[in-house]
């Protein structure tokens, strides 16, 4: 298909249409600004309301808006856009799928690095509110980082910083070199340290 999605929309499954839409958005954003940056990550969850409340209570995220797209063919979900008030615009988009409520959303290979003033207190808050504190994990990238999991099993890397914000995201892959090459060609990002 060309960059115009209309001629081929009936040939593609809905998740492929969404992927193409997002890639085109990245492509044209890159062309216009000559730089690509991520300020948010969307995560699929078992309960949009419960997860929005959880991230608000544990990390102080505020609900910016709720978007109800579940009835639209290209966007089969509802979402809450939750932002870190002190995080210079960073956000987590909480997504509840409507096209397939049995879609896998637990324990996916996603890592959210959240910078917090006190990683010990943040890890304790994660555990005290239905998440999980993970012990005996170390990292070369961020010495002193602590880890936990949110109620849906997303890995949280808690690193020390002056304010609370989303500082990095990680996605699991079975072929690191291929994935790095794809992201580099698609967005212009360059390879950083490999740990």
């Amino acid at each position: 298909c060309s960059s115009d999605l209309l001629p081929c929309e009936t040939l593609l499954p809905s998740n492929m249409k969404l992927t193409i839409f997002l890639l085109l958005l990245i492509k044209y954003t890159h062309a216009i600004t000559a730089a690509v940056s991520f300020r948010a990550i969307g995560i699929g969850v078992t309960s949009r309301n419960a997860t929005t409340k959880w991230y608000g209570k544990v990390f102080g995220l505020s609900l910016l808006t709720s978007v109800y797209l579940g009835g639209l063919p290209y966007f089969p979900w509802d979402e809450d856009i939750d932002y870190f008030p002190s995080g210079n615009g960073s956000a987590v988009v909480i997504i509840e799928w409507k096209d397939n409520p049995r879609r896998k959303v637990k324990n996916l290979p996603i890592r959210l690095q959240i910078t917090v003033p006190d990683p010990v207190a943040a890890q304790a808050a994660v555990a005290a509110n239905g998440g999980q504190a993970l012990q005996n994990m170390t990292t070369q990238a961020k010495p002193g980082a602590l880890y936990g999991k949110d109620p849906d099993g997303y890995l949280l890397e808690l690193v020390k910083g002056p304010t609370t914000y989303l500082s990095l995201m990680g996605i699991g892959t079975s072929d690191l070199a291929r994935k790095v090459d794809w992201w580099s060609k698609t967005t212009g990002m360059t390879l950083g340290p490999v740990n």
Side-chain angles (χ1 to χ4, degrees), residues 80-100:
D80 286 347
I81 301 173
D82 301 319
Y83 69 99
F84 293 86
S86 61
N88 201 21
S90 64
V92 176
V93 181
I94 308 297
I95 300 169
E96 190 171 355
W97 298 99
K98 298 297 183 178
D99 65 332
N100 181 359

Side-chain angles (χ1 to χ4, degrees), residues 14-69:
S14 63
N15 61 341
M16 181 64 95
K17 291 179 220 176
L18 175 61
T19 301
I20 290 172
F21 170 77
L22 292 174
L23 291 177
L24 290 171
L25 184 64
I26 291 170
K27 174 183 174 184
Y28 292 116
T29 300
H30 181 61
I32 293 167
T33 65
V36 173
S37 66
F38 289 92
R39 290 301 197 116
I41 181 172
I43 56 173
V45 299
T46 53
S47 170
R48 182 177 49 83
N49 291 331
T51 303
T52 291
K53 288 177 185 172
W54 191 86
Y55 275 91
K57 186 172 186 179
V58 174
F59 294 108
L61 271 75
S62 294
L63 177 64
L64 177 64
T65 189
S66 295
V67 182
Y68 303 98
L69 302 167

Side-chain angles (χ1 to χ4, degrees), residues 61-189:
L61 271 75
S62 294
L63 177 64
L64 177 64
T65 189
S66 295
V67 182
Y68 303 98
L69 302 167
L72 300 176
Y74 301 122
F75 306 101
W77 64 81
D78 291 340
E79 65 185 35
D80 286 347
I81 301 173
D82 301 319
Y83 69 99
F84 293 86
S86 61
N88 201 21
S90 64
V92 176
V93 181
I94 308 297
I95 300 169
E96 190 171 355
W97 298 99
K98 298 297 183 178
D99 65 332
N100 181 359
R102 291 174 291 162
R103 181 189 294 259
K104 184 172 172 58
V105 295
K106 290 186 78 70
N107 300 307
L108 297 175
I110 302 291
R111 174 174 55 113
L112 304 178
Q113 183 184 81
I114 300 176
T115 299
V116 293
D118 185 348
V120 172
Q123 186 188 51
V126 165
N129 289 285
Q132 179 184 2
L134 302 176
Q135 306 301 329
N136 302 321
M137 290 184 66
T138 61
T139 176
Q140 296 173 3
K142 290 288 182 184
L146 296 178
Y147 293 86
K149 286 192 173 188
D150 78 2
D152 283 310
Y154 288 101
L155 181 63
L156 306 171
E157 182 179 42
L158 308 168
V159 298
K160 187 167 181 58
T163 61
T164 301
Y165 63 95
L166 177 66
S167 49
L168 183 139
M169 68 166 212
I171 55 173
T173 179
S174 59
D175 187 339
L176 183 60
R178 183 172 168 221
K179 189 65 76 174
V180 167
D181 182 60
W182 184 90
W183 278 100
S184 176
K185 288 177 181 173
T186 305
T187 67
M189 290 191 288

